[in-house]
Amino acid sequence: MKASIGESLGDYTRHEILSTMESESQKIFKENHPKFTPNQLIETMSRKGIKFNLMSREEAKKRITENTYYFKVGVYRHNFIKDENGQYSNLDFAHLDDLAILDMRLRKILLNMSLDLEHSLKTLVNSIVTMDKLEDGYQIVQDFSTTHKFDLSNMYGIYDKRSHYLNPVKNKHSSCTSVWVLLELMSFGELSKFLEFYFDRTKISKKRLVYPAKLIRYAKNVRNAAAHNNPIILNLSGMTSISPDPKIMQTNHKMGLDKSLYRNPRINDILCLFFLHDMYCSKGVRNHLISELEAFKKRCMRNASYYSNNNHLKELYRNLELLIDYYKFK
């Protein structure tokens, strides 16, 4: 029997052809979300009720053309409500621009905190392993690699021609990797898995590792969002509630944070990062963070009047101030 055209093409070729064919839903989506020029974007925002009183249309156009882009700024409109006609209430483009700037600054602070924490926890684990008479520093790497199907070749970038920065380490250590080399090269996400693994494995200093092992996965979420420039000040209310760790809940209670806020998964991730940073980073590192947080709090207050009619954002910033003050004075 003669093969059909589809059969004669082969599975791979059929897949490639089908993947390039536009579905009806894709066609409709494109029609509803066409490419817009800056002027068209301004008009579209205006039709949705976004005002240009605090920042003129020309200034807004310059912002989304030279300093940022609409998708990066426009996403913050979800922090504002619409009226019964689907129009945004009390929303000016300047509000979106201000939130985008604040979020950028917050992401930088959270990313720096993540880097501080990563260094401190790697130092802690290195110290514990060094004092552990049951570890030779090598077998633990093999056991972790086997348990978590961790590919050491990927860590060294053996299959990546651009990995010349790692060549000196790779040439010397890739054939027999020690835990101190592993800790130096592994990512934050890999460190998260390793801490959980090592907590279950070690017989010493378990109390020093209990909170990193339990909470590092939440701090990792913040680190990834900040590193990839994902918006932080977004969807901070109305999400599915979670039950934070009892120690985190106790700390939140001391700070006076609103319970409905810290049960939000995004807020919980941030609070876990703060908790671990406070517990494991040095005094000098903490003092530097306090200076950054104070500057951020001051910047938040610059345009506080923008959000006088937005109870959600007012409550968010009030709790953020409580968090900063607690971290500073505790």
Side-chain angles (χ1 to χ4, degrees):
M1 180 181 293
K2 187 176 181 180
S4 67
I5 295 177
E7 292 173 331
S8 65
L9 290 175
D11 291 339
Y12 178 79
T13 305
R14 284 202 305 275
H15 173 75
E16 288 295 297
I17 292 175
L18 290 173
S19 66
T20 61
M21 295 175 63
E22 185 175 77
S23 67
E24 186 62 27
S25 62
Q26 289 173 322
K27 183 179 179 180
I28 294 172
F29 187 88
K30 288 181 180 180
E31 290 174 352
N32 292 333
H33 302 83
K35 182 179 72 173
F36 282 154
T37 65
N39 286 331
Q40 289 173 323
L41 284 171
I42 298 290
E43 288 303 319
T44 300
M45 284 187 276
S46 182
R47 287 196 297 270
K48 292 181 178 180
I50 300 175
K51 307 291 191 301
F52 295 89
N53 298 327
L54 298 172
M55 180 179 289
S56 70
R57 289 171 179 250
E58 282 304 312
E59 289 178 293
K61 178 182 175 181
K62 185 176 181 180
R63 291 291 293 170
I64 61 175
T65 303
E66 300 179 10
N67 302 104
T68 186
Y69 47 94
Y70 171 72
F71 196 83
K72 176 65 74 177
V73 177
V75 69
Y76 299 102
R77 70 186 186 280
H78 296 297
N79 287 309
F80 299 84
I81 62 174
K82 293 181 178 180
D83 61 23
E84 62 275 7
N85 298 316
Q87 298 283 295
Y88 285 103
S89 303
N90 303 309
L91 175 56
D92 193 282
F93 183 84
H95 300 160
L96 303 178
D97 186 64
D98 187 58
L99 285 173
I101 293 172
L102 290 174
D103 206 5
M104 175 192 68
R105 294 196 174 198
L106 179 59
R107 288 196 303 270
K108 287 183 177 180
I109 291 174
L110 296 175
L111 182 57
N112 286 336
M113 289 179 68
S114 300
L115 294 173
D116 293 340
L117 179 62
E118 180 180 4
H119 174 76
S120 297
L121 291 181
K122 286 182 176 181
T123 301
L124 174 63
V125 173
N126 217 326
S127 176
I128 295 175
V129 172
T130 299
M131 300 303 295
D132 192 342
K133 296 180 180 180
L134 298 178
E135 300 286 0
D136 66 359
Y138 291 89
Q139 186 59 46
I140 188 174
V141 177
Q142 294 303 314
D143 293 345
F144 174 67
S145 179
T146 301
T147 302
H148 288 272
K149 297 180 172 59
F150 181 73
D151 191 344
L152 293 171
S153 299
N154 287 335
M155 184 182 72
Y156 284 108
I158 288 178
Y159 305 120
D160 187 351
K161 294 181 180 180
R162 299 167 296 176
S163 64
H164 48 274
Y165 289 101
L166 293 176
N167 280 343
V169 179
K170 176 175 62 179
N171 294 339
K172 182 175 181 179
H173 297 280
S174 60
S175 61
C176 189
T177 302
S178 62
V179 69
W180 46 92
V181 173
L182 179 76
L183 289 169
E184 177 65 20
L185 298 183
M186 63 173 26
S187 68
F188 197 98
E190 293 161 349
L191 175 63
S192 173
K193 295 178 182 177
F194 185 81
L195 280 166
E196 294 174 1
F197 162 80
Y198 186 54
F199 177 74
D200 291 335
R201 176 189 180 95
T202 187
K203 304 298 181 183
I204 67 172
S205 300
K206 291 187 81 73
K207 287 185 178 180
R208 298 174 70 189
L209 293 171
V210 61
Y211 287 113
K214 291 171 64 176
L215 304 178
I216 189 67
R217 64 179 68 182
Y218 304 111
K220 179 193 68 175
N221 295 337
V222 185
R223 183 267 170 203
N224 290 345
H228 295 289
N229 277 325
N230 299 146
I232 303 293
I233 308 175
L234 186 69
N235 293 334
L236 295 178
S237 65
M239 295 179 69
T240 304
S241 295
I242 61 169
S243 297
D245 180 89
K247 187 69 174 180
I248 296 293
M249 291 187 68
Q250 182 183 20
T251 303
N252 295 340
H253 180 71
K254 289 180 180 178
M255 283 188 278
L257 297 185
D258 185 84
K259 185 180 294 186
S260 63
L261 184 72
Y262 66 71
R263 286 183 178 274
N264 178 290
R266 285 173 174 252
I267 297 294
N268 179 70
D269 291 344
I270 294 172
L271 291 173
C272 286
L273 175 59
F274 268 87
F275 178 84
L276 292 174
H277 191 280
D278 178 50
M279 181 173 283
Y280 293 96
C281 291
S282 68
K283 183 177 180 180
V285 169
R286 291 182 70 260
N287 288 339
H288 179 71
L289 173 63
I290 288 171
S291 297
E292 290 187 316
L293 291 172
E294 283 294 307
F296 178 70
K297 184 169 74 170
K298 185 176 180 180
R299 176 58 183 82
C300 287
M301 296 305 297
R302 181 189 298 179
N303 297 315
S305 60
Y306 284 3
Y307 314 108
S308 59
N309 295 316
N310 191 318
N311 292 330
H312 163 56
L313 288 176
K314 283 170 60 179
E315 184 68 11
L316 173 65
Y317 287 129
R318 188 189 74 82
N319 281 281
L320 182 61
E321 188 172 3
L322 289 173
L323 173 62
I324 293 173
D325 288 343
Y326 177 84
Y327 195 85
K328 179 179 179 180
F329 296 115
K330 87 171 197 58

